[in-house]
Amino acid sequence: MDLKLDNKVAIVTGASKGIGLAVTRTLLAEGARVVATSRRTSPELDALADDRLVHVPADLMDPEAPARVIAEAVRLHGGVDVLVNNAGGPPPGVSLPRSSFVDASDADWRAMFEFNLFSAVRAIRAVLPVMLERGGGSIVNVSSGNARQPSPINVDYGAAKAGMNNLTKVLSEEFGPRGIRVNTVSPGPVRTAWWTEEGRVADTIAAQAGTDRDTVMDSLVPEMMRLSTGRLADPQEVADAVVLLASPRSASTTGAEFAVDSGFLKGL
């Protein structure tokens, strides 16, 4: 299927690895011009080197950074058609999962909201006038199943993502009549660095359960989270949903939430 993304200008945050890297790769394969942003590049992102790909380094914990990224995309390409707010997860210096709600201080909550919600708010605020001048666009916010399935070990993260879901609905109502679609993709557990890197979630759970990280990801977590597919999702599976929503092929889809979560969410 032609997703009609040839020469569309897309910004992807958190693009150096995981879901953001897969989204960047897929947009390039569909003919888009991509402005990829992250604190640092990565060998995997560098391997996608192409005259349609530009990496703009930015720390989205800096309140001024999202607007600078948008401005650079406009300088390079004259406008923006797609914004993928993918950056998220534990902010720098914060580790998840926690053992309890009481383990998160005010500073932890502020950092979590800065990275997982306010960075997207600021990027959207900066891109809206650019998209309106262009006649429309598509914004895809990457949320989490924890936005609707609260977790006591990720309570601040889930609250920030619940805010993102609410934001998506509000924006879709206000700006849909003006040609800007806003949708959410909510992953469940995905085989990204958050799980797989040394010292991250799989190792934390493995230490608590007296097992190893492969057992955690291959069997313990799918059983514990009651994943219908019996496995963690692959980043590409999330990226496919994101890029479809970014595409003009989804022209009548706005204000929607797509769960790509291996059957994690059980409620209606």
Side-chain angles (χ1 to χ4, degrees):
M1 179 190 298
D2 178 9
L3 294 184
K4 300 183 178 180
L5 286 167
D6 276 347
N7 292 315
K8 298 291 186 182
V9 179
I11 296 174
V12 182
T13 69
S16 63
K17 56 188 176 182
I19 294 169
L21 179 69
V23 170
T24 298
R25 182 186 299 115
T26 306
L27 285 167
L28 288 170
E30 292 295 332
R33 292 177 284 173
V34 181
V35 176
T37 187
S38 55
R39 286 190 295 273
R40 294 173 297 277
T41 187
S42 65
E44 295 82 6
L45 184 59
D46 292 341
L48 299 179
D50 187 288
D51 59 5
R52 290 176 293 113
L53 173 64
V54 176
H55 177 254
V56 177
D59 180 357
L60 297 181
M61 295 292 283
D62 174 1
E64 305 301 323
R68 287 198 296 267
V69 173
I70 305 301
E72 181 64 5
V74 173
R75 186 188 72 81
L76 290 168
H77 299 300
V80 178
D81 301 294
V82 174
L83 170 64
V84 179
N85 284 310
N86 166 73
V94 174
S95 297
L96 293 178
R98 308 184 194 281
S99 59
S100 167
F101 161 77
V102 299
D103 290 340
S105 67
D106 282 3
D108 292 329
W109 276 82
R110 281 192 292 269
M112 193 64 72
F113 270 68
E114 281 287 342
F115 192 40
N116 287 277
L117 180 59
F118 296 154
S119 66
V121 168
R122 291 164 181 145
I124 293 167
R125 186 185 294 131
V127 86
L128 281 173
V130 177
M131 287 185 170
L132 290 171
E133 184 178 351
R134 209 165 174 85
S138 174
I139 299 170
V140 184
N141 295 321
V142 179
S143 183
S144 168
N146 283 140
R148 290 200 288 128
Q149 183 60 53
S151 166
I153 60 176
N154 294 326
V155 60
D156 47 344
Y157 173 73
K161 291 301 192 181
M164 177 171 276
N165 287 13
N166 189 288
L167 174 68
T168 297
K169 287 287 189 182
V170 171
L171 292 169
S172 69
E173 281 293 301
E174 181 173 356
F175 292 97
R178 302 174 71 182
I180 298 176
R181 297 182 299 106
V182 191
N183 292 288
T184 299
V185 173
S186 291
V190 182
R191 279 188 178 264
T192 63
W194 189 0
W195 287 89
T196 61
E197 284 184 353
E198 186 174 351
R200 302 296 284 273
V201 179
D203 281 348
T204 300
I205 295 174
Q208 294 169 348
T211 186
D212 60 84
R213 70 167 67 173
D214 288 335
T215 300
V216 166
M217 290 185 287
D218 292 342
S219 60
L220 185 60
V221 167
E223 292 171 7
M224 181 175 63
M225 299 182 74
R226 298 174 57 227
L227 302 183
S228 302
T229 63
R231 64 176 178 84
L232 277 66
D234 185 270
Q236 186 61 54
E237 294 168 330
V238 183
D240 289 342
V242 170
V243 175
L244 179 60
L245 287 171
S247 160
R249 290 284 189 181
S250 297
S252 291
T253 303
T254 192
E257 181 192 8
F258 282 66
V260 185
D261 66 357
S262 305
F264 169 60
L265 291 172
K266 306 299 184 184
L268 297 175

